[in-house]
Amino acid sequence: MLNTDFTGKTKVYGVIGDPIAHTFSPEIHNSIFKAIGKNAVYTPFHVTPKGLPAAIKGASALGIGGLNVTLPHKINVIPLLTSLDKEAALIGAVNTIKFSEGEIIGFNTDIIGVEYTFKMRGLSLNDRTCLLLGAGGAADAVICALLKAKAKKIYIANRTVEKAKALKERLSPLFESEIIPLSLASAAELKGIDTVLNTTTLGFEGKTDLTPLPKAFFKNNSVEICFDAIYTPWQTRLLKEAEQSGASCINGFDMLIYQGAAAEEIWQNTKFDKEFLKSLSLNLKEFYKKRKE
Ligand code: NAP
């Protein structure tokens, strides 16, 4: 079979990770290339930790336009870059690299992914009293979005409470919002929370019967928004129970799509409008659901 879509002018982009076979990123980026009429291709590259320095140097030498970076390379890639943008420095992790005239620049679009998720629904995070569940990589992006939006108060509840404390110590000198670390067990007793954001793996595929909060929490709090970074399953037990209590529920699919769209905005030096982002998410949702069936 001859694929005539690719020519001598085709620009190459990709994602590096270990493992990488199950990534959804090629679907996101190749859909965007098609929609904007860009002669480009996006492909996964399996890169081990040992191979990371050679992969970055090689990608630069090959004239690759950009790479997304996923586990386990998001932090270890930083010393291999020539510069780091503001948000990647804030979060201390890189998910997007732009190669430009010998420069290798690191970005983090996970924060934008969270911001777009709420903005696209007309929801503001400003002045909210939030409960953030989890203190790992996804929590880092979510808390930065909350802090940038000037949330009023952010409780960070984590099984390992030291990690929640470390997040507070790193970020509270830079922002105005009040940050209160606590254990996951004691989060169940909180009152006055209007926004819940889950970034723990509880509820994820293989743990679908689990949830980070008891159902009674939603009886004791008037939760308006419940976000779960998980999108497999599409609706976690947490989201189901929050929805039953009347909260607006959002899963992590748009965070995934919009962090990808934000990487394209960096690579293609463009800005997508709301309509474009909305239809991208809708089309990819259909595609993702079919792939899962
Ligand atoms: P991570 O860095 O490994 O953090 C995992 C978090 O889950 C930690 O807070 C951890 O607590 C907690 N956790 C794990 N097992 C637990 C248990 N049995 N009981 C209580 N807490 C537990 O992972 P991550 O990268 O942040 O990812 C977290 C979730 O977000 C995953 O489900 C992932 O699929 C999702 N995610 C979604 C997106 C998106 O674009 N939508 C992006 C990234 C991640 P400890 O600190 O105590 O271990």
Side-chain angles (χ1 to χ4, degrees):
M1 193 173 73
L2 181 66
N3 190 333
T4 53
D5 286 350
F6 307 127
T7 67
K9 288 183 181 160
T10 303
K11 196 81 186 158
V12 178
Y13 297 82
V15 55
I16 55 168
D18 179 22
I20 200 64
H22 297 290
T23 177
F24 190 61
S25 291
E27 282 86 344
I28 301 174
H29 293 272
N30 290 315
S31 296
I32 295 177
F33 294 150
K34 199 170 173 194
I36 65 174
K38 171 98 184 160
N39 182 0
V41 63
Y42 183 104
T43 184
F45 296 106
H46 182 203
V47 174
T48 62
K50 202 172 155 217
L52 184 64
I56 298 300
K57 219 174 159 183
S60 178
L62 286 167
I64 282 180
L67 287 176
N68 283 131
V69 182
T70 188
L71 300 176
H73 306 312
K74 287 184 164 195
I75 297 170
N76 294 342
V77 79
I78 293 175
L80 307 170
L81 308 172
T82 57
S83 63
L84 207 56
D85 104 312
K86 201 166 80 241
E87 299 214 325
L90 178 69
I91 221 166
V94 161
N95 80 333
T96 300
I97 297 173
K98 181 171 183 163
F99 298 93
S100 176
E101 294 164 8
E103 294 291 304
I104 309 174
I105 313 156
F107 298 84
N108 193 305
T109 64
D110 286 334
I111 304 174
I112 308 177
V114 178
E115 289 175 332
Y116 282 8
T117 295
F118 289 91
K119 266 189 203 148
M120 287 293 292
R121 289 168 169 79
L123 297 170
S124 166
L125 296 167
N126 180 250
D127 211 31
R128 291 195 168 271
T129 303
C130 306
L131 170 57
L132 169 61
L133 302 156
D140 237 322
V142 170
I143 196 172
C144 286
L146 296 175
L147 291 167
K148 282 179 68 189
K150 295 191 169 56
K152 184 167 40 181
K153 206 185 248 194
I154 306 165
Y155 293 93
I156 318 171
N158 198 42
R159 177 179 61 178
T160 314
V161 76
E162 289 71 27
K163 282 199 208 164
K165 285 183 184 160
L167 210 48
K168 175 191 164 140
E169 263 160 44
R170 181 158 63 80
L171 294 170
S172 67
L174 308 173
F175 294 94
E176 289 162 24
S177 313
E178 187 183 354
I179 304 178
I180 304 155
L182 73 166
S183 72
L184 192 56
S186 44
E189 309 304 324
L190 289 173
K191 300 264 159 58
I193 302 293
D194 56 51
T195 307
V196 171
L197 307 108
N198 177 45
T199 63
T200 73
T201 53
L202 298 176
F204 187 60
E205 226 170 29
K207 301 186 196 172
T208 52
D209 55 327
L210 301 179
T211 181
L213 279 181
K215 197 173 177 181
F217 177 88
F218 294 101
K219 287 211 174 75
N220 301 332
N221 289 272
S222 298
V223 175
E224 292 163 16
I225 303 174
C226 185
F227 167 80
D228 199 325
I230 297 169
Y231 50 87
T232 317
W234 196 254
Q235 189 182 44
T236 55
R237 184 174 152 196
L238 178 78
L239 289 186
K240 205 174 284 170
E241 293 177 355
E243 193 176 72
Q244 283 163 1
S245 80
S248 292
C249 292
I250 310 168
N251 74 8
F253 189 72
D254 277 354
M255 175 182 171
L256 171 78
I257 303 306
Y258 296 149
Q259 62 74 32
E264 287 297 337
E265 288 183 330
I266 291 166
W267 293 332
Q268 312 309 338
N269 202 15
T270 189
K271 205 84 194 146
F272 298 129
D273 62 25
K274 252 183 150 178
E275 282 314 305
F276 180 90
L277 293 172
K278 206 166 149 184
S279 74
L280 180 72
S281 162
L282 276 175
N283 293 338
L284 286 167
K285 191 194 292 181
E286 291 302 309
F287 190 78
Y288 181 78
K289 284 189 163 175
K290 272 198 198 116
R291 190 171 103 158
K292 278 282 175 196
E293 276 164 14

